[in-house]
Amino acid sequence: MNNYNTIIIGGGAAGFFTAINLAEQTENHSIAILERGKDVLQKVRISGGGRCNITHAQFEPKPLSLNYPRGEKELLGPFHSFMTGDTISWFEERGVELKIEEDGRMFPVSNSSQTIIDCFISLARKHHIDILTSQNVAAIEKTDSWQLETKTDSFTCDNLVVTAGSSPKVWQMMKKLDHTIVDAVPSLFTFNIVDKQITELAGIAIEARVEIPQLNLESQGPLLITHWGFSGPAILKMSAWGARELHNSGYKFDLIINWLNYLSLEECLATLFERRKSSKKQVGNEWLFDLPKRLWKYLVESISLTEKNWADCSNVDLHNLATLLTASTFAINGKSTFKEEFVTAGGVDLKEINFKSFSSKKQENLYLAGEVLNIDAITGGFNFQNAWTGGWMIARAISMSTQSQ
């Protein structure tokens, strides 16, 4: 039997952050991380294209919490205790300098996720934290202490921390411990379309407003045309905020794009009428509104205006063009995972968690952090910030309870 003061199920970002902070805040406290795979910190490794998007340069709790479609209200309090500035200080005090990019995402100066992995592994060894891989927890029981079974070993501990991500198997174990599980649906994904003409414009990025009227969803931001459809922050934000509605639609719906961002149909028409008065050129050779040339040609060609002179355009022609510019409609059929960063909405119901300590309201000495909870964020480093905050709060709670005994 392997006995520990605290066992952490899950060798990812939240698990390591919890373990290291707990070790730093307590003395003679035995800690083990149980990881089901052969390697730890795999999501850290691939995050941000291998650069590890650690957090986001948003330094106020309220605006930071607004980036969480699920968890916004619950994380506001914890962010007053540990958030972006604390994360930056934590890493810099341990030799990892961070940098802010133009879009607010923060990465290690080294541009390598290996820097974060090395930092965590080194600190875990320094504090004698046992990192046990290929330990797939098969059963959890609560008696006077926690009893854990894997295929090869048995463990006991006083405090159990679950940071196993969106693992259906672990969720089922939490269910047996009286927790309610909110069914998982994908979040953070891109949209697939059938229209091959638009996908030939792959690589074009533009500030746009997008909406799905039938699902009452809208979003704004950079939109990227890809070989399979649409991506970019505007789509990813929409996929996160509308995760359940999009899932229920079977990922089949009409997406309306305003290529002119906030410009209305009427404002667009006014510009087109002015151009008709003043230009002697062909519509296809004089693109407006700073639109990419390829996109402009695609739009005017789709309504046969390419070789027509501006002066010869009828009111109906201009109205059709204005409609396309401000409300192009595309049939979406399916989704694709955003890079390798598969995120789900779902997990342990947030009403059953005490967010002053990230502890279970159902079981004593049980703590949960990261994606095992029904918390997820839009892209940009926010999911990791949730992991750091939860890990820090748990470490502080266990440390305080240990000192008071």
Side-chain angles (χ1 to χ4, degrees):
M1 186 70 75
N2 301 283
N3 303 311
Y4 290 91
N5 295 120
T6 297
I7 288 179
I8 296 161
I9 301 176
F16 267 81
F17 207 73
T18 304
I20 292 164
N21 279 286
L22 180 55
E24 289 179 350
Q25 293 174 29
T26 55
E27 288 183 12
N28 304 317
H29 192 95
S30 55
I31 304 167
I33 296 173
L34 305 186
E35 166 58 40
R36 67 177 175 178
K38 291 181 180 176
D39 295 302
V40 293
L41 300 165
Q42 285 307 292
K43 214 161 189 179
V44 170
R45 188 178 300 282
I46 63 171
S47 158
R51 297 196 296 143
C52 191
N53 184 185
I54 284 182
T55 187
H56 201 94
Q58 172 50 260
F59 298 97
E60 294 178 39
K62 181 62 176 174
L64 179 62
S65 73
L66 297 178
N67 294 286
Y68 297 82
R70 284 145 293 274
E72 174 190 338
K73 177 168 58 81
E74 290 79 6
L75 288 174
L76 184 56
F79 283 157
H80 279 87
S81 294
F82 192 96
M83 58 170 290
T84 313
D86 306 293
T87 298
I88 296 166
S89 299
W90 193 96
F91 280 101
E92 290 188 345
E93 284 164 13
R94 289 156 185 82
V96 179
E97 195 178 343
L98 306 183
K99 62 174 179 176
I100 303 172
E101 301 208 334
E102 277 185 25
D103 58 5
R105 291 182 303 161
M106 297 194 68
F107 296 88
V109 168
S110 66
N111 272 331
S112 172
S113 56
Q114 194 60 46
T115 304
I116 306 303
I117 294 169
D118 290 346
C119 170
F120 283 168
I121 298 292
S122 158
L123 287 166
R125 285 178 179 154
K126 174 186 172 184
H127 295 297
H128 308 293
I129 296 164
D130 287 346
I131 303 169
L132 308 174
T133 54
S134 300
Q135 291 285 357
N136 197 350
V137 176
I140 301 171
E141 278 187 34
K142 179 71 183 293
T143 54
D144 291 339
S145 59
W146 289 100
Q147 318 282 327
L148 280 66
E149 298 290 335
T150 68
K151 281 185 179 178
T152 54
D153 295 283
S154 298
F155 299 86
T156 66
C157 60
D158 302 318
N159 306 292
L160 180 61
V161 181
V162 181
T163 59
S166 50
S167 161
K169 192 175 172 186
V170 173
W171 283 347
Q172 284 307 309
M173 292 181 201
M174 294 303 100
K175 209 168 184 176
K176 286 180 182 175
L177 294 171
D178 296 331
H179 275 291
T180 306
I181 302 300
V182 179
D183 289 342
V185 297
S187 179
L188 280 193
F189 47 83
T190 59
F191 295 169
N192 298 347
I193 58 172
V194 184
D195 186 344
K196 294 299 171 209
Q197 284 183 300
I198 188 77
T199 56
E200 285 173 7
L201 303 179
I204 286 177
I206 185 170
E207 281 282 330
R209 193 156 53 85
V210 294
E211 58 180 317
I212 307 170
Q214 70 213 65
L215 300 179
N216 200 26
L217 293 172
E218 60 178 77
S219 180
Q220 185 277 335
L223 174 74
L224 175 67
I225 301 173
T226 70
H227 292 294
W228 61 87
F230 297 114
S231 183
I235 297 300
L236 294 168
K237 278 192 287 187
M238 179 176 270
S239 77
W241 285 99
R244 296 215 168 267
E245 294 88 342
L246 294 167
H247 175 76
N248 294 338
S249 76
Y251 306 105
K252 291 185 179 180
F253 48 85
D254 285 340
L255 178 74
I256 296 174
I257 300 176
N258 183 342
W259 300 105
L260 307 184
N261 207 358
Y262 286 112
L263 215 61
S264 69
L265 174 73
E266 292 74 19
E267 290 167 326
C268 176
L269 262 177
T271 301
L272 298 183
F273 283 139
E274 283 299 317
R275 186 53 52 120
R276 184 172 64 180
K277 286 183 197 172
S278 61
S279 178
K280 296 176 181 178
K281 293 183 179 179
Q282 289 182 333
V283 176
N285 291 335
E286 192 172 43
W287 48 102
L288 307 180
F289 306 106
D290 291 326
L291 287 182
K293 182 179 177 182
R294 287 194 296 148
L295 177 60
W296 176 265
K297 284 189 176 293
Y298 159 79
L299 292 170
V300 298
E301 195 173 289
S302 67
I303 50 172
S304 306
L305 288 183
T306 308
E307 295 179 5
K308 208 167 190 176
N309 289 335
W310 280 103
D312 297 329
C313 287
S314 67
N315 285 356
V316 171
D317 287 334
L318 296 187
H319 197 279
N320 288 341
L321 179 54
T323 301
L324 262 188
L325 288 164
T326 59
S328 288
T329 302
F330 296 93
I332 302 300
N333 187 6
K335 61 175 177 58
S336 295
T337 302
F338 174 59
K339 298 181 179 175
E340 294 165 301
E341 299 181 28
F342 185 69
V343 174
T344 58
V348 174
D349 194 319
L350 304 186
K351 291 193 289 289
E352 300 171 357
I353 302 298
N354 175 355
F355 280 92
K356 290 180 180 176
S357 56
F358 280 70
S359 59
S360 163
K361 291 179 180 176
K362 299 284 186 176
Q363 302 288 343
E364 201 175 350
N365 300 327
L366 173 63
Y367 302 84
L368 302 96
E371 285 181 39
V372 71
L373 297 171
N374 184 27
I375 291 177
D376 61 285
I378 63 171
T379 186
F382 302 105
N383 280 305
F384 272 140
Q385 184 56 56
N386 170 42
W388 313 139
T389 297
W392 189 85
M393 298 285 286
I394 291 171
R396 184 180 69 171
I398 295 176
S399 169
M400 288 170 66
S401 71
T402 302
Q403 289 165 19
S404 65
Q405 287 170 5

